[in-house]
Amino acid sequence: MSDQLKVKEILGEIADKHRAEFEELYYLLEHLNPQSAEILFFYAHKIQIRSYGREVYLRGLIEFSNVCNRNCSYCGIRRSNKEVERYRLTEEEILACCDEGYQLGYRTFVLQSGEDSYYDDSRLVSLIHGIKESYPEVAVTLSIGERSYESYKHLFQAGADRYLLRHETASETLYQQLHPGMSFQKRRQCLQYLKEIGYQIGAGFMVGLPGQENEDLVKDLIYLQELQPQMVGIGPFLPHPKTPLGGFLSGTVEKTLVLIALTRLLLPESLIPATTALGTLDPRGREKALRAGANVVMPNLSPTEIRGKYELYPNKICTGDEAAECRLCIEHRIEDSGFQVNMGRGDHLEWRR
């Protein structure tokens, strides 16, 4: 049997069973060519339509602090980057972003920051209560890094619905190289805590990291298969010049799309963002992701004057757009790609059932 015939056979089996062994996924990544990648995208699109129809869910993103006590070697807001102009939004400023977003139709708010100890449990509980009291029907998603089990539980009891915590890489060696002072096992433990408590959880990884091999990417897919998160964020590595990895090449759109599509095959009901990083690397990157199995977009609701300061990587798109402009622009892009915008909470199908 030729390589490409075997690739097609493996793709058909995964699309049917939504399970794969390490060896099968490794073979795919080693032997996919542009023609067989199109077959992969066809299966991913078909499964996406079967699970969620043509709906793409919009989440309003609020980047409320770029202060971070971590020193991840790829991140522009890492602790050691002294050129970052740091900021923190007050509770009133965050609620004002939510109010604007609610008026624009958003029913999920994603609150994201660096790992900033200023926002202790009492501040975050007060903030979550404020959002839920004003808009009881909205979903609140947190993306604020590693915390204790007790902290996660307090925030869940306050009304937080979802938590995004990318595992970043399922290769322990690669993880420790990229995250000085952090623990590979603790990262996984945090995701288990979140799952046990009852959050809809989001994991995810970067594609094209320096030193990353296909074997590492297969580990990511196998880990997702085991964890079964409700959300999966996959984006290309983009080097920031003020980090230790600033001199390396970016990940590619093409490889990222392959990993998105394989994730759709393995986790058919997952919610997968078409990331801003893809749109930064390719003007049509987010649209390509939607056609490869992604079904979430997160326009920015942060005040325009601080958006450029939340620079995880350079040249991020949409930093100058007002919230209403972001909403209108992305809606047109989604519809032009053959999908329709859904402004509702967009819960995972398991939660709806």
Side-chain angles (χ1 to χ4, degrees):
M1 184 185 296
S2 72
D3 287 340
Q4 290 312 301
L5 275 177
K6 187 173 179 181
V7 164
K8 291 173 186 176
E9 183 180 279
I10 294 172
L11 285 174
E13 288 178 3
I14 300 174
D16 182 49
K17 298 176 182 175
H18 311 303
R19 297 288 301 175
E21 300 300 324
F22 188 99
E23 294 74 16
E24 294 172 316
L25 292 167
Y26 185 74
Y27 192 92
L28 285 179
L29 291 183
E30 287 288 308
H31 294 96
L32 266 181
N33 65 19
Q35 289 72 41
S36 49
E38 287 303 317
I39 296 170
L40 166 62
F41 298 147
F42 169 80
Y43 280 131
H45 181 71
K46 185 178 176 182
I47 291 167
Q48 174 185 356
I49 298 297
R50 190 174 71 209
S51 296
Y52 289 100
R54 294 192 172 275
E55 295 187 330
V56 173
Y57 301 96
L58 262 58
R59 326 296 207 190
L61 175 65
I62 303 168
E63 297 163 333
F64 64 92
S65 169
N66 70 349
V67 178
C68 191
N69 59 29
R70 299 296 189 183
N71 219 18
C72 304
S73 57
Y74 49 81
C75 182
I77 63 169
R78 66 197 305 263
R79 183 182 71 240
S80 292
N81 185 0
K82 304 304 181 187
E83 296 186 29
V84 177
E85 187 182 344
R86 305 289 177 175
Y87 73 87
R88 291 182 174 121
L89 297 185
T90 64
E91 181 175 325
E92 292 72 24
E93 289 171 324
I94 298 169
L95 289 172
C97 294
C98 292
D99 187 60
E100 183 177 16
Y102 191 85
Q103 301 307 319
L104 289 169
Y106 292 95
R107 295 299 179 265
T108 289
F109 300 125
V110 181
L111 307 181
Q112 181 172 298
S113 72
E115 292 203 21
D116 184 355
S117 54
Y118 172 82
Y119 295 97
D120 57 15
D121 285 3
S122 63
R123 284 191 170 96
L124 290 169
V125 165
S126 173
L127 172 61
I128 295 164
H129 280 158
I131 295 171
K132 288 289 190 171
E133 285 169 9
S134 298
Y135 323 106
E137 76 274 30
V138 306
V140 173
T141 302
L142 301 176
S143 179
I144 53 178
E146 295 181 6
R147 301 175 78 91
S148 68
Y149 179 92
E150 291 73 23
S151 176
Y152 288 145
K153 192 161 188 179
H154 289 154
L155 302 180
F156 183 74
Q157 290 170 338
D161 301 275
R162 307 172 187 149
Y163 204 104
L164 307 179
L165 184 70
R166 285 191 183 190
H167 67 275
E168 303 296 7
T169 173
S171 161
E172 185 167 5
T173 302
L174 201 52
Y175 186 91
Q176 296 301 163
Q177 290 171 356
L178 297 170
H179 302 91
M182 296 177 69
S183 162
F184 176 77
Q185 295 302 333
K186 184 181 178 185
R187 192 70 165 194
R188 291 185 169 216
Q189 183 66 73
C190 284
L191 281 159
Q192 287 299 330
Y193 286 158
L194 292 161
K195 196 169 186 180
E196 288 170 20
I197 289 166
Y199 287 92
Q200 294 180 55
I201 65 166
F205 58 96
M206 282 181 285
V207 179
L209 285 162
Q212 187 183 60
E213 304 288 346
N214 281 337
E215 181 180 350
D216 302 312
L217 293 167
V218 173
K219 288 179 183 177
D220 287 311
L221 293 172
I222 294 294
Y223 178 61
L224 292 175
Q225 190 172 254
E226 294 167 355
L227 183 66
Q228 291 289 308
Q230 286 73 37
M231 302 165 285
V232 183
I234 301 170
F237 162 70
L238 294 175
H240 191 291
K242 301 299 180 183
T243 68
L245 301 185
F248 288 87
L249 294 174
S250 299
T252 67
V253 171
E254 292 73 22
K255 192 70 171 270
T256 305
L257 295 177
V258 164
L259 272 299
I260 288 172
L262 285 170
T263 299
R264 174 59 66 200
L265 266 58
L266 294 169
L267 301 176
E269 295 185 348
S270 56
L271 293 153
I272 304 175
T275 63
T276 304
L278 274 170
T280 299
L281 205 54
D282 179 337
R284 304 289 293 175
R286 288 178 295 184
E287 291 89 327
K288 291 176 182 178
L290 294 177
R291 291 191 288 270
N295 62 340
V296 171
V297 178
M298 297 196 288
N300 205 322
L301 291 176
S302 308
T304 51
E305 62 270 18
I306 59 97
R307 286 192 202 174
K309 300 173 187 175
Y310 200 86
E311 191 182 73
L312 307 183
Y313 49 82
N315 306 313
K316 189 166 79 169
I317 57 172
C318 302
T319 54
D321 294 347
E322 296 291 343
E325 292 174 330
C326 264
R327 155 84 205 267
L328 200 60
C329 169
I330 201 62
E331 190 164 349
H332 288 322
R333 286 171 173 266
I334 289 167
E335 290 171 352
D336 287 347
S337 300
F339 297 90
Q340 60 193 46
V341 169
N342 186 314
M343 297 296 292
R345 283 172 53 108
D347 288 299
H348 188 272
L349 292 180
E350 177 188 342
W351 252 250
R352 301 184 202 182
R353 287 193 290 266

